[in-house]
Amino acid sequence: MPVLRSSLDSASDSYASNRSSMLEAIEVLDGELALARAGGGSRYVERHRSRSKMLARERIELLLDPDSPFLELCPLAAWGTEFNVGASLVAGIGVISGVECLVSANDPTVRGGSTNPYTMRKSSRCADIALENRLPSVNLVESGGADLPNQAELFIPGGRGFRDLTQRSAAGLPTIALVFGNSTAGGAYVPGMSDYIVMIDGRSKVFLGGPPLVKMATGEESGDEELGGASMHARVSGLADFLATDELDAIRIGRDIVARLNWSKRGSPPSMPPDDPLYDPEELLGIASADLRVPFDPREVLARVVDGSRFDEFKPLYGTSLVTGWASIHGYPIGVLANHRGVLFNEEANKATQFIQLANQVDVPLLFLQNTTGYMVGKEYEQRGIIKDGAKMINAVSNSKVPHLTVNIGASYGAGNYGMCGRAYNPRFLFAWPNARSAVMGPTQLAGVLSIVARQAAQSRNEPFDEEADAAMRQAVESQIEAESMPLYLSARLYDDGIIDPRDTRHVLGMCLSVVHNTPIQGTRGYGVFRM
Amino acid sequence: MITKLLVANRGEIARRVIRSAHAMGIQCVAVYSDADSSAPHVREADQAVRLPGYGATDTYLRSDLLVRAALMTGADAIHPGYGFLSEDAQFARECTRSGLAFVGPPADVIEAMGSKLNAKAAMAAAGVPVLGTVELPAPSLGAGAGVAEVPRGLMDEVAALGWPVLVKASAGGGGRGMRVVERAADLAAALEGASREASSAFGDGTVFIEPYVLDPRHIEVQIVGDTHGNVVHLFERECSIQRRHQKIVEECPAAGLDSDTRDRLTEAAITVARTIGYIGAGTVEFLLAPDGRIAFLEVNTRLQVEHPVTEAVTGIDLVRLQLLVAEGAPLPPEVMHPTVAGHAIEVRLYAEDPTRSWQPSAGHLDRFMLQGSQFATPTPGMPGVRVDAGFAEGTDVSPYYDPMLAKVISHAPSRGEAARLLAQALRRSRIHGVSTNRDLLVRILEHPEFLDGRIDTGFLVRHDPAALGAPLASEEAELLHAQAAALALQASHRASAPVLRPMPSGWRNNPNGPAKVSFEGHHGAIEVEYGFDRSGRSNHLRAVLSAPHSRSATHTPASPESLGAAGVGEGGVGEGGATVLECTPDEVAMEIGGVRTRFEVQQVDGVAYVDSPLGSSVLRVIERFRLPESQGAAGSLAAPLPGTVVKVAVDPGQAVEAGDLLVVIEAMKMEHEVSAPRSGIVSAVRVEQGHQVEPGEVLVVIDAEEGS
């Protein structure tokens, strides 16, 4: 198979400036991740520890197989909102007793692990990932339930969480709840709807109403152990399947449950050699342009991501703004679509449509590397049917049934975001590099469009155009759009599954490919009607 | 001429005999107990006959089965090896009666010498110097007779010898059935114990008492006689370094022996041999007191364990010689005029723990690698190492027989060179699965007193075996070993991962601190932290003794900082740190302070064995999770090793004081006492006499006394 030859000049000025701006963005990312890890802050962490309890991440570390990887999902959910970054939930994919599982853990140091609107969106996203990729899930529960002041945003949609649990169970995906502390009121249904429940003697408390509520409702005097203690549930109500002696014991039981799931992946195992790329992934720092307007060759990225830098390019001479071809990551074959010079023309759209069909024909997952400003506009392209060609590409992407993985490595603007499998097109996983931007169009263009429209309106009303006000408006709009296109802003809103260090791209994708192979990989044999 | 030889023994001596017999063109028949069905000596023989059962009394001590096996296979001779029936006159007679040549002296000679009491009397009569003796009136205190009073008359006789005295079994050897008694009050118990042990080991519980000479040297002379009246000696052997009366380091010639003493010894040995009409290979044992007096101890009418040192310096194959004499041939000329070339030292490598009162260690030999040529005397004139081993990698050391794993023998032009060569060969050996005295032997061979030739039987009394036997790996080395073990362990986790194998070890997109693993080592609990970057390079490595054992008396608490300064702390960064160069499940290479060091790691069932030039460590992985059931009831006393309960000294409900005897377990032919660790009430006795117990099996439960 052909091997990519890099022509990257790591001594060049552009490499140096790209690298330094990428490192700056990574520093910001690392700072935010550190905040997420800090949970509710040292005061609450100390208080939690003083009760001889482990932190959410410590529980996860012990649950996972030693030395196995863990891909944390949406770690920056709720960034920049009134809620703590991370949304009081730690979630990700890890290996338990040799099985890839969706693991989530309430962070009890953040407002008692209570659920806010972002927590809800993050756990919904996790539920989707578990269902789409056929993953057993393990919930490490310790939550005060809904964040009551926000109940209006939570109560009605929040019911979905419980429905998701039982629907996954019905789909043959075991759900396991390890209850480390309180799981009360609505929260009681998280273990309640799970297939396996482990409670810890003297620690787990699961009830619909605590002593005060019961007193208010019926006048009955009761203690919390008799209402929902682990021992009661293990011996009397039967809600607990296993009674653990302590946190460590609960985790051990959880691992044993997974070990006995008789789990096997339905997808085929890796079929290609998983050798490292020939080029140093460290150099990925200097490839993506610091200035989004400067295009860069996605083959330089692929040369540092795919197995052995092997890339078998398809239609290399046609529609050259989009690079398509075959490669493998960690031994799993993939088809790659990567924007080259930003714009998608008719040829690129047609090439993409054909390539997506080819991948579906042979059941190979697709990787989309986004760096696009959108489909070409202008008389020539409209007359050549850019809408029809773009529609074909979107038709193919929408109806394709092989797993899609998307990474935004630069820009993702306009309908290009749709054609290149943006969030709305349900890629199994979507990640962004720290330098990436995504919006309906670039901030300058958007402000410019608004300005032109305003100028036309003024003209039609024969009013004088206020140039000063226009300049201020453009500035304000530009900075607003710039802020809203930032990956942190988008990640906070669950529009991606995380922002990744470019140097981790190969391992993130390799792990995702392994995860998607829990399902059988089968391409579609049918599409919507292609507009010709 | 012998054409087919039945080897009535097991282990290394069976292999040794087979080797020489094969070299002479003689076919060999092995015998094996059920515990030995896959032992190397069975595979190396031409044929083999099963002796059903496990214990020696059911198998290797059954003379009827052995003779039948020889007749069944058409053997014309039987070699008894050492131990078992090698000095059993009855067996020698049975062989002869059945038309089989017995490779050893005539039955009468064995009989005469088999009783140490009779032998002493005969030698005293022939003018050979002996020690005073007190015989026990018949019937003596036999096995199972219980601790009776020692009659007053007997006690007076013993007191006349002067304390301390030595109680010895009249039959057998090897330190079994032997007790040093310091004072009158202990005599009765010593007589009972020695008698029971002797009865179990040799089938004869007769014991006698002689003065205990403090710190003598033990020197013996190899003799050989043929059926044509020739008797010669093949020089002396020094066997002074002993533990519990069992030789562990032997050499030829004896260190710094003046020629006058040597002549007195060899002449006395020849007198002994001529007096009894000795035929075959034998050994006359003497005691050499610090004042230069010599005293005859006994004659061993067999091949000695330590015969290879004589073979090394004389170039004579003693087994071949035995077979020639058994065939009626005269001693060959080189034996009539033997010469000594260089110096040879043998060590006996035992599966035992010198730091825990020599407790035998049974188990599976996960690795058994000893450098040296097998059973072959190295090329005369060239320094070399010989290994006589009865075990092979992957075989079991069973609790039924003597726990000697191998003999390692070095031969070099000088004693100093031989000691250095042997110490190095031992340092390079790899023995996993059982505790051994390897590190003790290395420390003896490198000890200034040993190298000066200042040795006597008190060596291991003067020098604490627990200190000499402690692992050669220092605390710092053990920390490095723990790092290597952690790295190897993670490498095997990654290599065996059922999914996501190409991912870097412990990869996180949101980093969450280093990975941790803890081990239980000799010096205590060790926690190792390690980490790898996204390209799989080690970027963090650190080991800390988190809970030092109190038993390492020399331990000074080391702060993590001081360890870091010594090169054990942060890896990959900073001065003196360790850089990981290679890391696989069975080998780790690190650069520490500019020096590349290789660590071999073997992982077996939660244990990591690490060998490096710094020594060897056994590191038990402290599991992340423990089954709640695995914690035994408080106050339970578990069997320390597999064996047979020979005595239960307490009953349920009985009050015991700390140190009171509870149970006696016999394993590997040694008796092990289990005593009360503290006072209390016996609430349960889970075993009775004759029970087979496994290590960890609960024997007795003691409840703490109320109010205590």
Side-chain angles (χ1 to χ4, degrees):
Chain A
M1 206 182 253
V3 171
L4 290 166
R5 284 280 163 83
S6 175
S7 54
L8 185 71
D9 179 5
S10 59
S12 66
D13 290 347
S14 65
Y15 178 90
S17 81
N18 291 344
R19 183 169 185 276
S20 80
S21 104
M22 185 65 88
L23 283 172
E24 257 173 58
I26 289 172
E27 203 182 315
V28 172
L29 169 67
D30 287 348
E32 297 302 330
L33 288 173
L35 269 180
R37 290 196 297 274
S42 58
R43 195 176 133 221
Y44 291 100
V45 168
E46 288 315 313
R47 196 174 73 180
H48 186 73
R49 283 196 197 283
S50 72
R51 298 168 176 162
S52 346
K53 289 180 158 200
M54 287 191 277
L55 299 177
R57 282 186 168 76
E58 293 169 339
R59 290 170 180 164
I60 292 176
E61 289 293 341
L62 282 164
L63 182 65
L64 302 175
D65 290 354
D67 309 307
S68 67
F70 183 65
L71 175 63
E72 191 171 331
L73 296 165
C74 315
L76 301 182
W79 174 88
T81 69
E82 60 182 296
F83 304 104
N84 281 51
V85 58
S88 72
L89 186 72
V90 185
I93 296 170
V95 183
I96 302 169
S97 303
V99 178
E100 286 156 334
C101 293
L102 196 291
V103 180
S104 55
N106 300 114
D107 186 345
T109 67
V110 182
R111 301 183 71 165
S114 61
T115 297
N116 62 52
Y118 290 92
T119 322
M120 187 180 71
R121 287 162 76 175
K122 184 167 171 175
S123 55
S124 292
R125 173 61 191 147
C126 289
D128 288 343
I129 290 173
L131 187 64
E132 288 171 358
N133 297 292
R134 250 190 105 248
L135 299 178
S137 33
V138 182
N139 272 314
L140 312 186
V141 185
E142 182 168 17
S143 165
D147 190 42
L148 289 178
N150 289 287
Q151 68 84 26
E153 282 187 71
L154 287 166
F155 170 60
I156 292 173
R160 188 200 138 176
F162 312 130
R163 187 199 62 180
D164 282 345
L165 275 167
T166 190
Q167 287 190 339
R168 263 184 283 161
S169 174
L173 306 175
T175 53
I176 298 159
L178 311 181
V179 186
F180 286 85
N182 286 334
S183 180
T184 56
Y189 287 106
V190 171
M193 300 309 297
S194 296
D195 298 332
Y196 298 88
I197 306 177
V198 180
M199 294 195 199
I200 301 168
D201 203 10
R203 285 286 171 90
S204 312
K205 301 278 186 301
V206 184
F207 40 62
L208 290 181
L213 194 145
V214 171
K215 172 88 171 142
M216 289 301 293
T218 67
E220 187 186 33
E221 296 279 351
S222 52
D224 55 4
E225 271 298 327
E226 51 186 331
L227 281 177
S231 177
M232 186 284 285
H233 281 310
R235 294 182 165 90
V236 183
S237 76
L239 180 66
D241 304 310
F242 299 89
L243 183 65
T245 55
D246 55 20
E247 294 203 4
L248 211 55
D249 197 36
I251 293 169
R252 174 189 66 80
I253 295 169
R255 289 179 52 79
D256 286 350
I257 292 170
V258 177
R260 278 191 297 266
L261 292 178
N262 188 29
W263 199 250
S264 57
K265 297 171 71 164
R266 300 266 170 89
S268 45
S271 55
M272 313 287 276
D275 48 330
D276 286 337
L278 301 180
Y279 300 96
D280 189 353
E282 200 65 27
E283 293 170 347
L284 287 168
L285 296 174
I287 293 173
S289 310
D291 181 349
L292 273 186
R293 288 168 304 182
V294 179
F296 57 91
D297 190 344
R299 295 178 195 88
E300 295 292 355
V301 174
L302 291 170
R304 288 158 183 83
V305 168
V306 301
D307 293 340
S309 305
R310 288 180 295 273
F311 185 63
D312 193 3
E313 195 166 343
F314 175 74
K315 268 189 156 77
L317 305 176
Y318 181 82
T320 53
S321 254
L322 180 77
V323 173
T324 55
W326 309 102
S328 67
I329 297 178
H330 286 186
Y332 291 103
I334 46 162
V336 181
L337 297 95
N339 301 111
H340 188 185
R341 275 178 296 272
V343 187
L344 292 161
F345 299 92
N346 305 67
E347 291 82 355
E348 280 74 11
N350 288 330
K351 177 176 169 179
T353 304
Q354 184 187 0
F355 189 72
I356 291 167
Q357 292 182 77
L358 292 176
N360 274 272
Q361 184 186 46
V362 294
D363 305 331
V364 169
L366 286 169
L367 168 64
F368 295 84
L369 293 182
Q370 298 180 329
N371 186 17
T372 177
T373 50
Y375 291 97
M376 194 60 193
V377 292
K379 275 178 283 191
E380 182 192 343
Y381 304 102
E382 296 289 4
Q383 289 174 11
R384 280 174 55 195
I386 187 72
I387 294 175
K388 292 199 303 179
D389 292 338
K392 276 184 272 188
M393 179 170 167
I394 293 172
N395 178 344
V397 168
S398 304
N399 291 300
S400 161
K401 294 242 174 71
V402 295
H404 296 175
L405 307 176
T406 303
V407 184
N408 183 357
I409 60 172
S412 183
Y413 289 120
N417 172 270
Y418 305 157
M420 290 298 288
C421 202
R423 184 53 125 189
Y425 289 79
N426 282 336
R428 294 279 184 97
F429 291 97
L430 188 154
F431 296 96
W433 281 9
N435 58 305
R437 302 286 184 272
S438 188
V440 65
M441 62 184 83
T444 323
Q445 291 79 356
L446 197 144
V449 169
L450 287 182
S451 169
I452 290 165
V453 172
R455 195 184 294 271
Q456 284 169 347
Q459 261 176 357
S460 66
R461 289 195 298 271
N462 278 326
E463 285 171 17
F465 187 63
D466 184 346
E467 294 290 346
E468 212 167 296
D470 180 63
M473 181 278 292
R474 287 168 68 145
Q475 178 110 37
V477 168
E478 252 179 71
S479 54
Q480 181 209 329
I481 302 304
E482 174 68 16
E484 290 176 359
S485 342
M486 294 288 283
L488 282 170
Y489 182 92
L490 299 168
S491 208
R493 282 155 186 77
L494 283 305
Y495 288 141
D496 61 37
D497 298 316
I499 305 168
I500 59 170
D501 187 310
R503 293 168 290 188
D504 277 331
T505 307
R506 169 174 168 80
H507 296 313
V508 169
L509 292 173
M511 192 154 171
C512 290
L513 281 165
S514 175
V515 168
V516 303
H517 280 78
N518 279 281
T519 58
I521 309 296
Q522 194 162 55
T524 186
R525 305 293 182 251
Y527 296 86
V529 173
F530 284 110
R531 180 166 296 280
M532 292 301 176
Chain B
M1 294 281 276
I2 297 168
T3 57
K4 197 172 200 176
L5 178 71
L6 181 116
V7 183
N9 214 303
R10 61 179 300 282
E12 63 91 16
I13 193 60
R15 301 182 74 191
R16 165 75 191 90
V17 172
I18 291 169
R19 185 173 178 100
S20 280
H22 276 168
M24 295 168 74
I26 299 170
Q27 286 200 347
C28 291
V29 180
V31 288
Y32 62 95
S33 71
D34 290 337
D36 280 341
S37 57
S38 58
H41 78 273
V42 181
R43 288 200 303 274
E44 287 166 13
D46 301 288
Q47 288 172 303
V49 177
R50 175 182 170 220
L51 305 173
Y54 290 85
T57 43
D58 294 331
T59 56
Y60 299 106
L61 288 171
R62 285 282 300 273
S63 53
D64 56 334
L65 296 183
L66 294 166
V67 169
R68 197 200 297 167
L71 296 175
M72 193 167 87
T73 51
D76 38 26
I78 290 188
H79 194 301
Y82 56 70
F84 297 131
L85 296 171
S86 61
E87 293 177 287
D88 187 314
Q90 208 44 49
F91 178 57
R93 276 200 192 95
E94 278 180 56
C95 291
T96 318
R97 253 204 312 272
S98 307
L100 299 163
F102 179 79
V103 182
D108 315 346
V109 174
I110 297 175
E111 198 156 58
M113 296 297 106
S115 158
K116 288 175 194 170
L117 278 169
N118 296 346
K120 272 174 87 171
M123 290 314 138
V128 176
V130 297
L131 290 172
T133 303
V134 172
E135 295 182 33
L136 296 183
S140 71
L141 296 157
V147 181
E149 287 290 307
V150 178
R152 175 178 295 248
L154 177 66
M155 190 60 92
D156 291 344
E157 270 187 79
V158 174
L161 292 174
W163 301 100
V165 297
L166 187 64
V167 177
K168 280 171 94 170
S170 182
R176 290 176 201 153
M178 234 188 241
R179 296 279 194 284
V180 178
V181 185
E182 304 277 349
R183 56 204 170 97
D186 299 335
L187 185 62
L191 289 172
E192 191 223 346
S195 178
R196 187 174 52 235
E197 210 168 278
S199 173
S200 152
F202 317 116
D204 175 2
T206 310
V207 295
F208 65 97
I209 304 164
E210 58 182 30
Y212 182 68
V213 178
L214 204 61
D215 301 338
R217 288 172 71 176
H218 177 113
I219 301 192
E220 60 189 27
V221 178
Q222 176 72 50
I223 52 166
V224 54
D226 63 17
T227 50
H228 306 273
N230 297 311
V231 175
V232 295
H233 73 84
L234 295 177
F235 311 102
E236 81 284 0
R237 289 187 289 259
E238 163 121 38
C239 315
S240 296
I241 299 205
Q242 304 183 353
R243 60 113 175 110
R244 288 183 165 179
H245 312 293
Q246 173 104 46
K247 304 159 187 171
I248 55 172
V249 180
E250 299 112 330
E251 51 188 311
C252 180
L257 200 64
D258 62 77
S259 58
D260 170 60
T261 311
R262 176 171 291 122
D263 291 346
R264 280 191 287 141
L265 287 163
T266 51
E267 276 162 26
I270 292 292
T271 308
V272 170
R274 291 206 183 283
T275 306
I276 57 178
Y278 200 84
I279 295 168
T283 297
V284 187
E285 294 193 340
F286 295 96
L287 190 145
L288 174 58
D291 61 8
R293 283 181 304 139
I294 64 170
F296 166 83
L297 288 177
E298 58 177 304
V299 178
N300 292 315
T301 56
R302 55 170 155 90
L303 192 66
Q304 293 281 82
V305 175
E306 58 272 23
H307 73 273
V309 290
T310 301
E311 295 188 324
V313 297
T314 61
I316 294 165
D317 179 339
L318 288 172
V319 173
R320 171 171 169 267
L321 207 54
Q322 284 186 300
L323 293 170
L324 288 176
V325 170
E327 289 180 325
L331 295 179
E334 72 271 17
V335 177
M336 296 304 293
H337 307 285
T339 53
V340 169
H343 197 98
I345 306 177
E346 171 186 285
V347 291
R348 300 193 193 180
L349 195 56
Y350 276 99
E352 66 184 12
D353 187 350
T355 67
R356 294 186 183 180
S357 324
W358 312 100
Q359 190 168 290
S361 171
H364 185 75
L365 286 172
D366 297 306
R367 183 151 298 166
F368 191 64
M369 283 165 46
L370 294 166
Q371 287 190 342
S373 47
Q374 285 200 25
F375 297 100
T377 307
T379 318
M382 291 288 287
V385 176
R386 162 177 171 180
V387 176
D388 286 19
F391 294 89
E393 191 162 296
T395 60
D396 289 326
V397 179
S398 80
Y400 302 104
Y401 316 109
D402 187 82
M404 189 175 79
L405 293 170
K407 305 181 306 204
V408 187
I409 306 101
S410 68
H411 183 213
S414 70
R415 183 170 184 269
E417 287 170 272
R420 184 177 64 192
L421 178 61
L422 187 51
Q424 194 56 25
L426 290 172
R427 281 179 178 276
R428 291 201 179 130
S429 64
R430 304 283 182 255
I431 304 157
H432 302 163
V434 293
S435 303
T436 74
N437 63 345
R438 190 266 309 257
D439 292 358
L440 172 105
L441 295 171
V442 170
R443 281 211 182 81
I444 292 173
L445 292 170
E446 294 175 350
H447 200 284
E449 278 186 27
F450 177 84
L451 294 172
D452 279 359
R454 284 183 283 140
I455 50 176
D456 55 58
T457 56
F459 189 90
L460 287 177
V461 179
R462 283 197 300 283
H463 306 291
D464 181 15
L468 287 179
L472 291 168
S474 65
E475 183 179 306
E476 263 183 30
E478 190 168 90
L479 289 173
L480 283 168
H481 286 175
Q483 294 184 350
L487 294 171
L489 204 62
Q490 69 78 31
S492 62
H493 285 153
R494 294 312 302 149
S496 63
V499 292
L500 295 168
R501 207 174 295 171
M503 295 295 287
S505 182
W507 179 89
R508 302 283 182 270
N509 57 329
N510 187 3
N512 197 27
K516 289 179 186 147
V517 62
S518 294
F519 300 96
E520 189 68 41
H522 176 78
H523 295 97
I526 300 168
E527 185 178 82
V528 184
E529 288 182 357
Y530 59 93
F532 291 84
D533 67 15
R534 57 172 63 89
S535 58
R537 278 184 294 263
S538 159
N539 62 4
H540 180 89
L541 185 60
R542 166 188 194 92
V544 178
L545 195 61
S546 51
H549 277 158
S550 51
R551 74 167 173 177
S552 53
T554 54
H555 175 73
T556 41
S559 65
E561 290 72 25
S562 73
L563 293 171
V568 185
E570 290 288 327
V573 284
E575 269 193 17
T579 309
V580 180
L581 303 172
E582 274 172 43
C583 175
T584 68
D586 42 36
E587 193 177 316
V588 172
M590 289 193 268
E591 191 177 284
I592 305 149
V595 181
R596 185 185 171 115
T597 308
R598 208 167 67 91
F599 301 85
E600 292 168 42
V601 184
Q602 187 186 25
Q603 304 171 40
V604 185
D605 295 340
V607 177
Y609 299 98
V610 185
D611 297 287
S612 79
L614 308 172
S616 303
S617 296
V618 181
L619 297 162
R620 180 168 296 281
V621 180
I622 299 173
E623 297 294 339
R624 292 195 291 178
F625 307 105
R626 272 220 311 218
L627 289 176
E629 297 79 30
S630 69
Q631 294 137 20
S636 300
L637 285 163
L641 69 177
T644 311
V645 176
V646 291
K647 181 169 180 171
V648 178
V650 290
D651 295 311
Q654 188 178 331
V656 290
E657 294 292 323
D660 281 0
L661 177 70
L662 304 175
V663 173
V664 179
I665 295 172
E666 188 192 274
M668 300 188 156
K669 295 295 159 205
M670 300 289 280
E671 292 194 350
H672 304 275
E673 298 184 343
V674 178
S675 313
R678 55 189 161 74
S679 58
I681 306 291
V682 175
S683 64
V685 175
R686 302 267 173 84
V687 292
E688 54 188 75
Q689 196 172 326
H691 262 184
Q692 287 288 329
V693 290
E694 290 299 316
E697 195 172 325
V698 175
L699 306 168
V700 174
V701 183
I702 299 175
D703 288 344
E705 261 174 321
E706 276 173 50
S708 69

